[in-house]
């Protein structure tokens, strides 16, 4: 565990609960097909002291895309209302082990938090060790979160167009392989199947085992098999910017820093008539 500064075990977290400067965040979010509801499950049970981060609400309301990053001011307001400070040690977890927590880990770091960890194995690991839980809404003492936006962590649509045209960055796509190849439909209406030209398929689910991030050796093998060079710049993408962050988390765990996340992801790219798409019968370049 000590080899990865971004992970913390249930045992380690249990020993730190109640200490000043520690904040715990339940970042559970699910796809509609999973028929699970993060906030409802949070109310039934969560790690003592944890607050719930609503990934559908902490967004930029001026965009019609899901999960678009909010402004620094909006993020600071939301994080502060949850009692979070950028100077805290913030531990993030989710209800599947390693699914949606990396997105909030990435968001917090993108807005200036310095010490953000993910609970190894997530809430399932906490429960498996018979550790205590709380129910209902917590009493939260608001804090000040001084947000400083790291623009280098994010890729825009215009930047993605340039990357696709020039090949200046490798594109790692975290969606399931069948969606990448257009063999399975996209879950959002009006979004084409397939992938960006030159993109590599690396499903986020392949990076974990039993809700835990795979070993560095296994991760390196997966990146190599996907055709991703760890010595070259990378930009990640997925359906709406959530599971792409799992690739960012895995790369950070391998000490790679030259990585961006395409915030609009495939929902933005695949819904436009003027963006090139490869894969399956929907492939076309305009």
């Amino acid at each position: 565990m000590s080899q990865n500064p971004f992970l913390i075990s249930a045992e380690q977290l249990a020993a730190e609960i109640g200490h000043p400067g520690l904040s715990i965040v339940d970042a559970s979010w699910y796809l509609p097909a999973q028929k699970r509801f993060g906030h409802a499950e949070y109310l039934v049970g969560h790690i003592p002291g944890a607050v719930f981060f609503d990934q559908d609400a902490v967004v930029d309301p001026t965009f019609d895309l899901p999960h678009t990053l909010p402004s620094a001011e909006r993020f600071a307001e939301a994080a502060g209302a949850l009692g979070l400070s950028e100077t805290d040690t913030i531990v993030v977890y989710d209800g599947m082990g390693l699914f949606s927590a990396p997105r909030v880990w990435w968001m917090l770091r993108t807005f200036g938090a310095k010490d953000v960890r993910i609970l190894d194995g997530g809430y399932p690991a906490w429960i498996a060790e018979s550790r205590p839980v709380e129910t209902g809404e917590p009493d939260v003492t608001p804090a000040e979160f001084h947000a400083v936006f790291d623009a280098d962590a994010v890729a825009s649509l215009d930047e993605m167009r340039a990357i696709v045209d020039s090949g200046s960055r490798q594109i790692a796509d975290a969606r399931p392989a069948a969606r990448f190849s257009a063999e399975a439909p996209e879950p959002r209406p009006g979004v084409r199947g397939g992938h960006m030209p030159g993109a590599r398929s690396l499903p986020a689910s392949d990076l974990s085992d039993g809700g835990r991030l795979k070993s560095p050796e296994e991760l390196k093998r997966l990146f190599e098999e996907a055709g991703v060079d760890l010595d070259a710049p990378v930009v990640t993408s997925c359906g709406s910017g959530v599971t792409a962050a799992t690739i960012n988390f895995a790369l950070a765990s391998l000490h790679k820093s030259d990585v961006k996340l395409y915030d609009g992801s495939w929902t933005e790219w695949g819904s436009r008539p003027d963006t090139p798409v490869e894969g399956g019968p929907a492939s076309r370049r305009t």
Side-chain angles (χ1 to χ4, degrees), residues 52 119 161:
F52 183 77
L119 176 61
R161 290 183 188 273

Side-chain angles (χ1 to χ4, degrees), residues 46-265:
H46 54 264
I47 294 176
V51 294
F52 183 77
F53 189 104
D54 188 343
Q55 298 198 49
D56 290 324
V58 187
V59 297
D60 187 336
T62 66
F63 280 80
D64 59 1
L65 295 169
H67 308 129
T68 304
L69 275 178
S71 66
E73 293 75 18
R74 185 176 177 86
F75 185 86
E77 180 181 1
L82 291 175
L84 307 179
S85 168
E86 81 284 357
T87 60
D88 291 344
T89 292
I90 305 175
V91 177
V92 186
Y93 71 89
D94 66 51
M96 291 183 65
L98 191 70
F99 180 69
S100 56
R103 170 70 181 193
V104 174
W105 169 88
W106 176 80
M107 290 178 72
L108 286 161
R109 286 164 50 83
T110 298
F111 284 109
K114 303 302 183 186
D115 187 9
V116 191
R117 323 277 183 91
I118 288 180
L119 176 61
D120 192 29
Y123 194 62
W126 186 266
I127 294 299
E129 296 182 15
S130 300
R131 298 195 179 275
V133 300
E134 289 182 344
T135 61
E137 294 285 4
D139 292 325
V140 177
T141 301
E144 287 193 18
F145 190 105
H146 299 95
V148 178
F149 177 57
D150 179 9
D152 290 337
V154 187
S156 66
L157 174 62
D158 287 343
E159 187 171 0
M160 287 307 301
R161 290 183 188 273
I163 289 170
V164 168
D165 287 342
S166 67
S168 58
R169 279 183 181 269
Q170 302 167 102
I171 305 169
D173 192 320
R175 291 174 299 152
R179 286 169 59 191
F180 179 89
S181 64
E183 296 174 286
E186 286 297 310
R188 296 177 176 88
V191 180
R192 293 174 289 167
H195 57 267
M196 287 172 265
R200 303 290 186 173
S201 177
L202 184 56
S205 59
D206 289 354
L207 301 174
S208 62
D209 186 10
R212 298 177 188 269
L213 187 69
K214 289 183 176 178
S215 70
E217 294 73 24
E218 291 175 300
L219 293 177
K220 289 176 183 177
R221 176 183 58 79
L222 288 167
F223 281 108
E224 181 179 356
E225 290 177 353
V228 177
D229 182 357
L230 293 176
D231 293 324
V234 178
V235 59
T236 66
S237 180
C238 62
S240 66
V242 175
T243 59
T246 303
I247 302 181
N248 293 66
F249 180 67
L251 288 169
S253 298
L254 294 174
H255 310 291
K256 182 168 179 57
S257 59
D258 191 1
V259 185
K260 293 176 177 281
L261 187 150
Y262 174 27
D263 198 41
S265 277

